[in-house]
Amino acid sequence: MIIYTIKRVLLALLIMACAVSTMFVMIHAVPGDPANVMLGPRATPEIKEALRARLHLDQPLSTQLFYFFKGLISGNFGFDLRSNRPVLDIVLEQLPHTFILVSSALIVSTLGIPVGCYAAINRNGKFDRIVGAISVSIIAMPAIVVGLYLLLFFSVELRAFPVIGAGDSDDWLDYLWHLTLPVITISIAWIGYISRLVRASMIEVLSQNHVLMARAFGLPEARVMSRYALRIAVLPSITMMGVSVAFILSSTVITEIIFARPGLGSLLYESVLSRNYPLVMGTVLVSTIFIVGGTTIADLINAALDPRALKEND
Amino acid sequence: MNPTMSPVIEVRGLTVEFNGVPAVKLVDLNISKGHIVGIVGESGSGKSTLASALIGLLPDSARITSGQIFFDDRENTPATPEIFSELRGHFISMVSQDTLSALNPVLTIGQHLIDIQFRESISLEEKRQRSIAALESVHMPDPEARMSMYPHELSGGQKQRVSIAMAVMVKPKILIADEPTTALDATLEVEIIALLKQLQKKIGCAMVFVTHHLGVVASLCDDVVVMHQGSIQEVGNVRDVFLKPKNDYTKKLLKCDPARIEKKCRQLPTMDAPNQKRVEDETAKTKRLSGDQAPILQIENLTVKFPKPFGLAALFQKAISKDITAVNNVSLNLFAGETLAIVGESGSGKTTLIRSIIRLVSCQTGTISFFGKSILDQSRDDLESTRKEIGYIFQDPIGSLSPRMTVEKIIKEALPSEVGNANDEAQEVQNLLSLVGLPIKFSSRYPHELSGGQARRVCVARALAQNPKLLIADEPTAGLDVSIQGEILNLLAEIQDKIRLPILIVTHNLNVVRHISDRMVIMLMGEVVEEGATDDIFSKPVHEYTRRLLNSNIHALPE
Amino acid sequence: MALDQKKEAQNFSDGLSSAVIYRLVKDPMGLVGLLIVVSFVVIAIFADFFAPYDPSKLDILNKLQGPSADHLFGTDQLGRDTLSRLIHGTQIALMVAGVSIGLAVLIGSILGAIAGYGPNWLDFVIMLLFDMVRSYPVIMFALAVVVLFGPSLLTIMAIIVATSFPTYGRLMRTQTQSLRQAEYILSARALGLGMPRILVRHVIPNTIGPILIVASMDVPFVIALEAGLSFLGLGVRPPTPSWGSILNDGYTYIRNSKWILISAGIPLILVTIGFTFLGEQLRDIFDPKIDRGS
């Protein structure tokens, strides 16, 4: 398990390094002078020259990449072009809002597990059919439509929920109140997805021989379900939730903008509109860490729950 | 059965249907205390369905439309689902057919054994001790360490031992065993059967043993039930039934078992011709085998190694050197008109060996020549034309047919290009189908619409369509009922007689080898341990492993 | 006789595909899915015929109207007919989805097949590439790219292709890996058939099914992505009507007229339900065990 963990973390670092370098190279390999792109056509040659020197733009690409990674290791993600503050500070300011939104959405998505489980046990029953129809309908419902409709009906028409912002972070009730609609926006599709996934794998597990054998020894049905079936049936969902961090972060951008919440998404949007490259780079980097971290943790949980995973990856 | 003994379980007029099609029809059955009852029948006879019904675990799609099951424990009350779930796990228990999937992959062996003692009100430590004792009773090496291991860390035989330990630990009055040794190698099968018999004596339970293997019934059971198409054909003491069968079907079934035919037969009996037992005369044999001195296929010092799978670890430690040797320094010859059998247990490298002949697997050292030409250094084009001359029958009959092609297209693809226009091709396909005994209408079927036996015939037809100069067959009768097995083997022998086709056959079925092969090669862990004329090896085996293998071949006559 | 037989075989395979359609239509879910998808395609192709107005025709006097007999879905801030704009937006949505998923399937399948069939180290490198792409949040990646190359239809399609080909690549890799050892592929090789023939007759027919199902389930995601980018003003340039930019109009004028927002959401919901139902049903018919994503 320890060896597996080390291996998995090394792989994660490798993926992250590749992802970041690609992003970096892409930004810097664009035709045209990056300084021009960043500062706009009206900047004076002196300012451009200063920026080039500061960002090592006058050096070859490989050297730039080297400086960039060197900076990363010492925690220097570069400086905001406008305010000159360290990018890391700005990103860390916004991070908690996004982190809370993403993790709440993930936690709410796990509602799908009991739903799918119950549907599988009562397969083709009334509950299964109703839940099946609902979850298939919401499974791919775009966050953008869900978010805008929620905003329109609950905030603008009914005025039951706030329209703007993340609320007062000292007043947790207010914060939660502001969080409700964005979380629903992001997680509704995932509840549907997870419930379908759990249902499918539960049905498969229930048909397996070892479940039959557990019954052949008269084990109580509740124990067969929880100990013999569900433990295997949730494994694909855990992997999927790891992968889902990427999808959820995508929805987060839209959601943060719709509900005018602070967070990584809004930050990125603003820095994209103002061509603030170091900030774009920093935000994408942090989200990539988020995502790779998510899949890695999911794989590790999987390995802890499923002794076979260790063997396959040996 | 013995009327003086009260039955532990009694079945009255049981009918089980799948979607309206009966799988078990009006079955009456009594199983007496302490008796071992064998249920035999071909695939589709309903024997497994009957066994599942006995323990109340029929699949969801099955429905009991008539009949009742009574247990000794609950006299005069027919079993209900409640009674079943109460009795399962202490009055009645079972050993499953599929060893690989019978244990839960995420629970340890110890958790399995401790879980099933949920009815006992004893301490956890006591349950643990009992579990270790149960593992000891099935001769599991180092039972304490095994308790904390997961199923995937055990071998197939060990898993089967755990299943048996579980079934016996609850001290049932009746034990159901559904083909418990089918997935195991012959030497292991003998050990497991001996173990079951010993444990059954020890706890004195009745046992229902479902199998298609007549030899196992003869050596293990007291009574036998013969099933065919859902109904019981004959019931009685094993000696009586096997030596003096009354029912026609039983008679035919017994006649078709190659293990029960003493003399070496060229043509084996089939269900349609149960009395056929053609022994090849000497002149025919000399005519078939004599002639050319040069072997058609010659393999010398062949070694096949598989590299270890590439992982992230390989980047950090250069541990690629640990190759797995599947075939080690094997040499063999095959002459015109002869059948050479390669015999070995799973993992002995026999399939790898024959695959390397047509370079489906690449080998490290050695030479393979076919009609004197080396196959190994042929160019891609030459290799393709060599492959066209070698018919190859794969082990999995349905799996080796392309799933989205009709039988006609599958066979046409194998026809040599010189056959000509579409009309001739279609005619040829028809000829081949009738040669392997399939109706013409099968030409428009897809592989998944065929039974195992039918698909096997299509595979044979495809191999013959190539007009091969050599035929390689990988377990051509595995998973087939004895009757169909006979038909396939007879067909191969007929063709061999006609065109002196050399046949290389891989199998673990010694009863088949004894009848059809002229010479045999025995493989163990990638190496050839013994080689010679089939008759000689069966009468005077030299190598220790060969002897063990031959001893494990259970004879189908009651002791 | 031979001709008859050929016909019979032909009839049978026709029978197979019509059996699929029959099973699709028999289930209410499949029927609904198929109907929705077909109607959207028809609407997209004959957009000019179905749209009651020119989508860019301004009518300032009648701006921000609610639904009426003249304007079924109302009008926007410039008095353009929302229904006509949505109908024309269907063209953009379906074209983006069709072209980019098609390209993603092509690139993904080729890379996946190489990973599954090629040497182990190449498999490792390609899988690393897939994992890498998967670790970008799609919209964030898109935002960054749009800044570099400027917003256009082409950029959007390039982004979708770049972020969704790993899904098909992974699927294809698993498929080829299992096919590599499949006995019918081995037996095709044992027959001495050449590689191109094996690919065309044996490999592709047996891998295309699952990929098509996943592609069908992927359409709503892609359409939503295009809508999202256009919503953020980074997609199709105005005045070209796109569902996302109409949503943005609705968002901007949410306090003036709720009708733009409500109507712009409807086609997105319908198209999502349509393709998901269709995909789910196809999955049930062909293979209950394919899993998307992981």
Side-chain angles (χ1 to χ4, degrees):
Chain A
M1 183 73 201
I2 297 165
I3 297 171
Y4 176 78
T5 310
I6 295 170
K7 271 191 201 163
R8 194 63 195 78
V9 169
L10 282 178
L11 183 68
L13 289 176
L14 185 62
I15 292 171
M16 257 185 249
C18 290
V20 172
S21 326
T22 315
M23 197 74 211
F24 186 89
V25 169
M26 216 165 63
I27 287 184
H28 289 78
V30 175
D33 183 359
N36 239 347
V37 179
M38 288 182 206
L39 296 176
R42 278 170 298 160
T44 62
E46 291 78 37
I47 299 179
K48 280 187 197 166
E49 210 44 57
L51 183 75
R52 275 197 203 108
R54 214 181 81 200
L55 296 179
H56 309 288
L57 290 177
D58 41 1
Q59 314 261 338
L61 198 63
S62 54
T63 323
Q64 291 181 35
L65 195 62
F66 170 75
Y67 278 114
F68 179 70
F69 270 104
K70 203 177 137 200
L72 282 191
I73 290 164
S74 54
N76 175 10
F77 284 42
F79 292 90
D80 177 11
L81 289 182
R82 295 282 180 280
S83 66
N84 235 344
R85 292 174 59 208
V87 166
L88 192 61
D89 288 4
I90 301 177
V91 170
L92 286 184
E93 248 167 49
Q94 304 291 321
L95 188 61
H97 297 294
T98 302
F99 185 77
I100 288 173
L101 182 58
V102 169
S103 35
S104 321
L106 270 178
I107 291 168
V108 173
S109 308
T110 54
L111 273 180
I113 295 178
V115 173
C117 194
Y118 192 74
I121 295 169
N122 303 300
R123 194 183 177 185
N124 293 331
K126 218 175 205 166
F127 180 85
D128 183 28
R129 281 172 197 280
I130 294 170
V131 164
I134 294 175
S135 48
V136 172
S137 320
I138 62 172
I139 217 165
M141 213 37 89
I144 184 168
V145 178
V146 179
L148 286 171
Y149 274 20
L150 288 177
L151 182 79
L152 180 65
F153 292 117
F154 291 101
S155 302
V156 177
E157 294 287 313
L158 298 175
R159 296 176 190 282
F161 283 93
V163 181
I164 274 179
D168 182 357
S169 38
D170 292 328
D171 178 359
W172 63 271
L173 209 66
D174 183 55
Y175 196 85
L176 214 61
W177 194 42
H178 280 79
L179 194 63
T180 313
L181 290 186
V183 167
I184 295 176
T185 303
I186 296 173
S187 52
I188 191 157
W190 285 100
I191 299 177
Y193 195 81
I194 298 285
S195 78
R196 293 297 288 176
L197 201 60
V198 169
R199 178 182 178 272
S201 44
M202 192 74 179
I203 285 173
E204 198 195 325
V205 174
L206 285 179
S207 71
Q208 277 170 3
N209 198 15
H210 59 81
V211 171
L212 187 80
M213 287 311 289
R215 288 183 177 148
F217 283 100
L219 285 178
E221 197 59 19
R223 187 173 328 186
V224 173
M225 287 298 159
S226 59
R227 193 168 157 90
Y228 285 77
L230 188 59
R231 212 180 132 187
I232 298 176
V234 293
L235 293 175
S237 308
I238 292 173
T239 311
M240 204 54 223
M241 284 175 81
V243 177
S244 75
V245 174
F247 289 89
I248 286 184
L249 266 176
S250 279
S251 320
T252 305
V253 178
I254 299 271
T255 310
E256 282 179 355
I257 290 163
I258 290 176
F259 292 97
R261 277 178 66 88
L264 286 186
S266 307
L267 178 66
L268 179 71
Y269 185 54
E270 281 157 25
S271 33
V272 159
L273 291 184
S274 60
R275 294 169 176 269
N276 201 334
Y277 274 82
L279 216 46
V280 171
M281 210 43 224
T283 325
V284 172
L285 181 72
V286 170
S287 354
T288 306
I289 294 173
F290 237 117
I291 291 167
V292 176
T295 42
T296 309
I297 290 171
D299 277 0
L300 290 177
I301 295 177
N302 239 335
L305 287 179
D306 185 357
R308 290 168 298 177
L310 292 177
K311 202 183 179 196
E312 279 160 23
N313 282 285
D314 197 21
Chain B
M1 270 164 257
N2 194 337
T4 57
M5 272 194 154
S6 66
V8 250
I9 187 167
E10 190 182 344
V11 179
R12 284 189 211 151
L14 185 74
T15 300
V16 182
E17 289 185 356
F18 284 93
N19 303 322
V21 183
V24 169
K25 289 181 217 158
L26 291 171
V27 162
D28 295 304
L29 184 65
N30 286 338
I31 291 163
S32 313
K33 273 190 184 127
H35 269 224
I36 306 183
V37 179
I39 303 182
V40 289
E42 297 183 289
S43 45
S45 62
K47 56 186 194 303
S48 280
T49 309
L50 178 59
S52 309
L54 288 181
I55 194 166
L57 287 174
L58 285 166
D60 290 340
S61 50
R63 279 188 49 236
I64 295 182
T65 49
S66 79
Q68 288 159 330
I69 297 172
F70 295 89
F71 287 102
D72 183 24
D73 238 27
R74 299 278 192 287
E75 246 172 308
N76 302 324
T77 321
T80 59
E82 290 72 35
I83 292 183
F84 269 126
S85 63
E86 210 176 295
L87 294 181
R88 280 199 293 261
H90 67 124
F91 184 85
I92 182 167
S93 69
M94 108 186 239
V95 180
S96 158
Q97 169 178 15
D98 192 351
T99 26
L100 298 175
S101 66
L103 299 174
N104 191 305
V106 300
L107 297 179
T108 61
I109 306 306
Q111 285 171 321
H112 279 96
L113 286 157
I114 290 168
D115 265 11
I116 59 168
Q117 303 176 56
F118 69 99
R119 286 196 176 92
E120 313 280 338
S121 45
I122 51 175
S123 74
L124 190 65
E125 185 49 35
E126 249 175 288
K127 286 183 182 175
R128 228 184 84 81
Q129 289 308 326
R130 281 195 191 183
S131 307
I132 294 172
L135 286 179
E136 260 164 15
S137 74
V138 294
H139 310 304
M140 179 72 93
D142 198 4
E144 283 224 54
R146 293 287 183 279
M147 289 286 285
S148 56
M149 288 173 97
Y150 287 96
H152 70 265
E153 294 170 295
L154 303 185
S155 69
Q158 286 174 334
K159 279 185 211 166
Q160 191 62 303
R161 279 171 206 273
V162 173
S163 297
I164 294 172
M166 288 168 69
V168 173
M169 188 174 65
V170 297
K171 298 216 164 52
K173 291 275 167 2
I174 177 162
L175 176 64
I176 314 264
D178 186 2
E179 305 247 18
T181 56
T182 305
L184 303 178
D185 278 326
T187 45
L188 206 56
E189 181 174 37
V190 180
E191 287 173 35
I192 295 285
I193 285 172
L195 178 68
L196 275 172
K197 197 165 189 171
Q198 177 207 338
L199 291 172
Q200 182 266 341
K201 277 232 167 64
K202 200 167 118 193
I203 61 171
C205 65
M207 182 153 90
V208 175
F209 197 100
V210 178
T211 182
H212 65 276
H213 196 324
L214 297 176
V216 172
V217 175
S219 64
L220 176 73
C221 303
D222 303 313
D223 302 319
V224 63
V225 175
V226 180
M227 287 189 73
H228 179 53
Q229 292 182 349
S231 358
I232 290 183
Q233 302 292 321
E234 190 160 357
V235 181
N237 178 282
V238 169
R239 276 193 82 82
D240 298 345
V241 173
F242 273 38
L243 296 178
K244 289 188 278 315
K246 295 188 192 74
N247 176 280
D248 272 354
Y249 176 77
T250 314
K251 282 181 195 160
K252 280 197 279 184
L253 192 68
L254 289 168
K255 276 180 182 161
C256 280
D257 186 359
R260 297 166 56 87
I261 303 165
E262 280 298 313
K263 221 165 156 60
K264 182 169 180 165
C265 282
R266 189 70 183 155
Q267 293 281 316
L268 292 163
T270 61
M271 287 311 246
D272 295 333
N275 293 317
Q276 155 180 293
K277 267 189 251 178
R278 190 170 66 78
V279 180
E280 189 178 33
D281 58 49
E282 277 307 313
T283 41
K285 192 173 178 182
T286 349
K287 204 179 146 209
R288 174 164 66 89
L289 290 175
S290 74
D292 349 303
Q293 291 303 306
I296 287 179
L297 179 74
Q298 191 171 21
I299 299 176
E300 272 170 8
N301 309 324
L302 189 79
T303 297
V304 181
K305 285 181 185 167
F306 291 120
K308 266 191 87 168
F310 181 89
L312 191 59
L315 282 180
F316 302 106
Q317 21 164 312
K318 287 185 176 163
I320 318 172
S321 56
K322 277 190 207 154
D323 290 339
I324 302 152
T325 307
V327 174
N328 193 5
N329 203 20
V330 167
S331 305
L332 53 87
N333 293 322
L334 179 63
F335 297 91
E338 94 173 324
T339 301
L340 175 66
I342 302 176
V343 179
E345 302 198 324
S346 47
S348 60
K350 50 193 197 303
T351 294
T352 309
L353 171 66
I354 55 170
R355 284 189 179 178
S356 66
I357 294 172
I358 52 171
R359 284 171 59 185
L360 288 179
V361 173
S362 56
C363 59
Q364 272 64 40
T365 55
T367 57
I368 301 171
S369 47
F370 180 56
F371 283 103
K373 288 177 298 184
S374 167
I375 292 184
L376 292 181
D377 34 58
Q378 272 177 334
S379 69
R380 181 173 283 266
D381 285 353
D382 288 345
L383 176 65
E384 276 168 14
S385 51
T386 303
R387 283 175 173 172
K388 286 194 171 98
E389 292 176 347
I390 299 178
Y392 196 113
I393 299 170
F394 283 81
Q395 183 175 356
D396 177 3
I398 297 174
S400 62
L401 301 175
S402 203
R404 283 173 210 282
M405 285 168 81
T406 58
V407 167
E408 185 182 23
K409 281 190 184 145
I410 288 169
I411 296 176
K412 264 188 190 167
E413 202 171 44
L415 288 172
S417 44
E418 60 264 27
V419 167
N421 64 32
N423 257 336
D424 296 346
E425 281 190 355
Q427 189 56 49
E428 191 62 32
V429 171
Q430 281 184 34
N431 294 344
L432 284 161
L433 283 179
S434 59
L435 182 66
V436 296
L438 284 177
I440 304 296
K441 65 171 190 220
F442 274 75
S443 62
S444 59
R445 294 218 178 158
Y446 284 86
H448 67 267
E449 299 169 304
L450 305 174
S451 72
Q454 291 162 348
R456 189 83 67 177
R457 282 166 212 248
V458 173
C459 291
V460 174
R462 174 171 63 178
L464 296 177
Q466 285 174 263
N467 216 348
K469 300 199 171 91
L470 163 66
L471 187 68
I472 301 176
D474 193 353
E475 301 273 10
T477 60
L480 295 186
D481 289 321
V482 279
S483 52
I484 297 163
Q485 169 179 300
E487 285 172 22
I488 300 270
L489 294 173
N490 290 346
L491 178 67
L492 292 181
E494 249 170 62
I495 290 154
Q496 186 172 54
D497 286 343
K498 252 182 237 161
I499 59 170
R500 296 186 68 211
L501 181 70
I503 299 177
L504 187 59
I505 190 168
V506 162
T507 182
H508 66 277
N509 190 335
L510 289 166
N511 293 317
V512 164
V513 168
R514 190 164 60 89
H515 288 291
I516 61 158
S517 73
D518 302 298
R519 285 190 304 128
M520 65 194 277
V521 161
I522 291 164
M523 283 185 77
L524 173 67
M525 294 167 77
E527 291 180 37
V528 170
V529 294
E530 190 159 355
E531 185 189 353
T534 306
D535 301 344
D536 296 346
I537 289 183
F538 270 89
S539 54
K540 284 192 283 300
V542 178
H543 196 274
E544 192 267 325
Y545 174 72
T546 315
R547 261 177 269 154
R548 201 144 57 87
L549 203 62
L550 292 181
N551 279 336
S552 71
N553 189 27
I554 302 161
H555 284 286
L557 290 170
E559 287 144 14
Chain C
M1 184 66 207
L3 256 176
D4 277 2
Q5 245 180 19
K6 232 180 203 161
K7 227 177 181 175
E8 207 178 296
Q10 189 59 45
N11 283 343
F12 191 84
S13 59
D14 286 353
L16 197 74
S17 61
S18 64
V20 168
I21 293 177
Y22 175 72
R23 284 182 64 185
L24 204 60
V25 174
K26 213 181 81 177
D27 188 280
M29 204 161 111
L31 182 65
V32 170
L34 194 67
L35 280 180
I36 294 176
V37 169
V38 169
S39 2
F40 268 97
V41 171
V42 170
I43 287 174
I45 295 173
F46 302 104
D48 289 325
F49 174 76
F50 284 107
Y53 294 90
D54 179 347
S56 47
K57 189 180 142 244
L58 307 185
D59 183 3
I60 303 292
L61 291 177
N62 287 316
K63 67 173 183 179
L64 297 171
Q65 297 281 306
S68 65
D70 283 348
H71 300 282
L72 276 180
F73 280 15
T75 58
D76 67 3
Q77 72 279 12
L78 300 172
R80 295 175 295 194
D81 181 51
T82 306
L83 179 62
S84 306
R85 289 178 61 72
L86 287 173
I87 286 175
H88 279 269
T90 311
Q91 281 182 325
I92 303 280
L94 289 188
M95 188 184 77
V96 169
V99 173
S100 46
I101 290 182
L103 274 175
V105 166
L106 195 70
I107 297 173
S109 305
I110 292 171
L111 282 178
I114 294 173
Y117 225 93
N120 283 327
W121 65 268
L122 198 59
D123 179 35
F124 184 80
V125 171
I126 292 177
M127 284 305 283
L128 196 66
L129 174 75
F130 290 168
D131 279 341
M132 192 185 88
V133 172
R134 203 171 65 169
S135 64
Y136 290 125
V138 180
I139 292 221
M140 294 192 166
F141 175 81
L143 285 174
V145 172
V146 164
V147 155
L148 294 172
F149 297 97
S152 78
L153 208 55
L154 210 64
T155 318
I156 287 196
M157 293 201 273
I159 290 166
I160 292 169
V161 172
T163 51
S164 57
F165 76 87
T167 309
Y168 303 102
R170 285 173 160 265
L171 189 61
M172 190 68 182
R173 174 176 174 267
T174 333
Q175 295 264 317
T176 33
Q177 274 178 341
S178 62
L179 273 192
R180 199 176 175 175
Q181 285 311 310
E183 289 209 337
Y184 66 90
I185 298 296
L186 286 178
S187 63
R189 287 170 64 196
L191 283 178
L193 302 182
M195 214 52 205
R197 193 184 165 91
I198 292 178
L199 271 178
V200 172
R201 302 225 21 196
H202 300 273
V203 177
I204 293 174
N206 291 296
T207 46
I208 201 79
I211 288 191
L212 287 183
I213 294 168
V214 173
S216 147
M217 310 272 273
D218 221 16
V219 171
F221 282 94
V222 168
I223 290 180
L225 184 63
E226 185 267 321
L229 286 173
S230 299
F231 174 78
L232 297 177
L234 300 170
V236 183
R237 301 311 283 280
T240 314
S242 143
W243 293 348
S245 53
I246 301 172
L247 274 175
N248 193 3
D249 293 343
Y251 180 61
T252 314
Y253 296 92
I254 195 166
R255 292 182 190 282
N256 309 73
S257 163
K258 60 190 169 199
W259 294 109
I260 309 176
L261 199 55
I262 294 178
S263 2
I266 291 171
L268 268 165
I269 292 177
L270 281 179
V271 96
T272 298
I273 290 179
F275 277 99
T276 314
F277 277 18
L278 189 67
E280 280 276 333
Q281 207 51 39
L282 282 176
R283 183 211 296 258
D284 276 359
I285 293 172
F286 281 115
D287 182 357
K289 274 186 158 185
I290 347 162
D291 189 17
R292 191 183 171 282
S294 61

